[in-house]
Amino acid sequence: MSTIFPEHFLWGGAVAANQVEGAYLTDGKGLSTSDLQPQGVFGPVVERHAGDSGIKDVAIDFYHRYPEDIKLFAEMGFRCLRTSIAWTRIFPQGDEGQPNEAGLAFYDRLFDEMARYHITPLITLSHYEMPYGLVKNHGGWGSRDTIDYFERYARTVFQRYRHKVKHWLTFNEINMSLHAPFTGVGLPEGSSRQAIYQAIHHQLVASARAVKACHEIIPDGRIGNMLLGGLLYPLSCKPEDMLETLQQNREWLFFGDVQARGAYPAYMARFFTDQNIQVTITPQDRTDLRETVDFISFSYYMTGCVTTDQALNNQARGNILNMVPNPHLASSDWGWQIDPVGLRLLMNELYDRYRKPLFIVENGLGARDKVEADGSINDDYRIRYLNDHLVQVGEAIKDGVEVLGYTCWGPIDLVSASKAEFSKRYGFIYVDRDDQGNGTLERRRKKSFHWYAGVVKSNGATL
Ligand code: BG6
């Protein structure tokens, strides 16, 4: 069978510690910002008390069941698994002098298990969580000290896993801080743009320092950034709409520009002046930022439209980036617009802009699944969604884009990030749990499980 996917293409799936592991206080783990948002990224921040519970506290109990899950991933032929390290397992409060050995030992066991099946780990240092101790006692990423605490954490895990993990990512969807400041940078909702951009600056410096540390400690490793690929189209060809679209796309591309090109892009000077934002950037920060990522990774779920028509803008705001819906596209049950061609456009845009290899580290369909009387789950809608997107990945490869791999989001059902729902399922593997936390946690193969196994086995020829 002929295929245009490269021979060593890293097919796999992606999860995140706080959405699968559970065991939120086990083996010395500290509370993370995610633990304080039991209703998800867009839910309230609540203090935790002994005896209370949230759906993420157990999640899918990956902390204890990972051998069974990795075996199932291996059965699908996974060559790669993306997950994150929970920073709070390693430094429970964030500012300790010494790491927590029990937390380090857990990830040793996890990476060893992946190695048994020749599954390459792709590890995110911070996926939508940080130690709550750093928020409470230091002001989160608002404080410059957090850069040092993060660097200590990054160096600790690079040193510990340097022989086991060669592929790393710094911050998950780093541009989300603009929309969810508590999750992204540990600042309260409603913080000023000034405070958010200063915190983002600290995080960008920390990201660059982690890249440097990775290059020093793991010379044969590769480290990338991670962007929420929120490509926006103009709703009309009115020049004003085109200009507004350029500016709104720059809001998220800015992060990639700094991380891949090593300096603030020229357009940010005007943006900061217009918005009356003053970011303190030291000469040492500018030097640190010059250490650029080796590859660009991103998530892709949808596109949206931009208009200067305020009436339309006020009407139709629903999804995570407050985009105006595209009249030519259908939407998922959660209102996320489905646009496979957008993925090809995005890949071309990012590759043209950065000339660095890409890694698609999230893509998928959150949907309600039905277990039939005979126990089967016939998720043809998920197969269709993923197939259509992967066909476009193939087209982008034909366009000349260099792609390292594809890890679809949530190969096993997990707790959703936005609202901490369980009914929004992404998996090839069904997990018996509902929004109230009821269920046996038993795993079950869906129809898409067999479909994806075929795709991986044929290196994309069956698409
Ligand atoms: C990305 C995140 O925003 O999208 C994931 O990196 C998240 O953590 C995924 O789960 C899908 O979003 P949701 O809200 O459907 O889980």
Side-chain angles (χ1 to χ4, degrees), residues 32-201:
S32 71
T33 45
S34 166
D35 296 323
L36 269 80
Q37 287 192 296
Q39 291 172 51
V41 168
F42 296 112
V45 175
V46 294
E47 287 289 340
R48 301 297 305 260
H49 303 288
D52 64 6
S53 64
I55 196 149
K56 287 188 271 182
D57 301 354
V58 175
I60 61 164
D61 195 27
F62 185 74
Y63 193 80
H64 300 107
R65 294 173 192 239
Y66 68 86
E68 180 190 350
D69 296 338
I70 288 169
K71 194 165 176 227
L72 285 164
F73 297 150
E75 196 181 315
M76 279 185 279
F78 275 28
R79 300 175 187 170
C80 181
L81 177 66
R82 172 182 177 229
T83 187
S84 60
I85 294 177
W87 185 350
T88 47
R89 292 201 191 281
I90 314 301
F91 289 99
Q93 300 302 315
D95 57 2
E96 294 88 346
Q98 293 303 319
N100 170 33
E101 177 52 35
L104 287 167
F106 166 68
Y107 292 104
D108 268 321
R109 295 195 296 276
L110 179 64
F111 300 147
D112 290 346
E113 195 68 17
M114 289 188 209
R116 279 183 62 192
Y117 298 98
H118 308 289
I119 295 177
T120 298
L122 169 63
I123 302 304
T124 315
L125 290 169
S126 176
H127 189 124
Y128 277 3
E129 59 180 325
M130 70 186 296
Y132 181 54
L134 288 183
V135 173
K136 205 168 49 177
N137 304 323
H138 299 271
W141 285 101
S143 162
R144 201 162 256 285
D145 296 346
T146 300
I147 304 175
D148 294 330
Y149 294 126
F150 180 78
E151 186 178 352
R152 181 185 303 171
Y153 156 63
R155 285 186 178 270
T156 301
V157 295
F158 291 153
Q159 197 62 40
R160 175 78 171 219
Y161 307 121
R162 66 192 189 283
H163 300 302
K164 300 182 182 180
V165 180
K166 305 290 183 183
H167 293 73
W168 296 87
L169 302 176
T170 58
F171 293 93
N172 181 63
E173 294 190 337
I174 188 165
N175 45 316
M176 261 301 270
S177 302
L178 293 173
H179 310 278
F182 184 74
T183 296
V185 283
L187 293 186
E189 295 302 315
S191 295
S192 68
R193 297 290 269 185
Q194 159 83 37
I196 292 173
Y197 271 102
Q198 185 65 57
I200 283 169
H201 171 69

Side-chain angles (χ1 to χ4, degrees), residues 16 19 82 127-128 172-173 226 228 299 301 320 336 362 409 414-419 424 426:
Q19 292 171 262
R82 172 182 177 229
H127 189 124
Y128 277 3
N172 181 63
E173 294 190 337
M226 200 301 202
L228 189 168
S299 62
Y301 293 93
I320 48 176
W336 292 18
E362 287 187 32
W409 179 248
L414 40 66
V415 182
S416 84
S418 345
K419 293 194 187 153
K424 189 180 190 187
Y426 285 87

Side-chain angles (χ1 to χ4, degrees), residues 230-248:
L231 188 66
L232 296 168
Y233 304 155
L235 191 63
S236 80
C237 52
K238 231 169 87 181
E240 288 76 11
D241 283 359
M242 293 296 294
L243 186 64
E244 183 63 22
T245 307
L246 173 83
Q247 284 167 345
Q248 288 200 26

Side-chain angles (χ1 to χ4, degrees), residues 215-286:
H215 289 158
E216 284 168 13
I217 298 168
I218 318 178
D220 60 341
R222 293 213 251 195
I223 182 160
N225 62 342
M226 200 301 202
L227 299 168
L228 189 168
L231 188 66
L232 296 168
Y233 304 155
L235 191 63
S236 80
C237 52
K238 231 169 87 181
E240 288 76 11
D241 283 359
M242 293 296 294
L243 186 64
E244 183 63 22
T245 307
L246 173 83
Q247 284 167 345
Q248 288 200 26
N249 273 321
R250 279 176 169 174
E251 278 188 22
W252 65 270
L253 284 165
F254 150 68
F255 294 82
D257 289 353
V258 176
Q259 292 178 305
R261 294 165 160 171
Y264 273 57
Y267 59 79
M268 283 311 272
R270 174 163 187 182
F271 175 80
F272 286 148
T273 307
D274 288 355
Q275 302 277 322
N276 199 18
I277 292 170
Q278 282 101 34
V279 177
T280 305
I281 306 177
T282 67
Q284 184 58 46
D285 291 347
R286 291 193 198 280

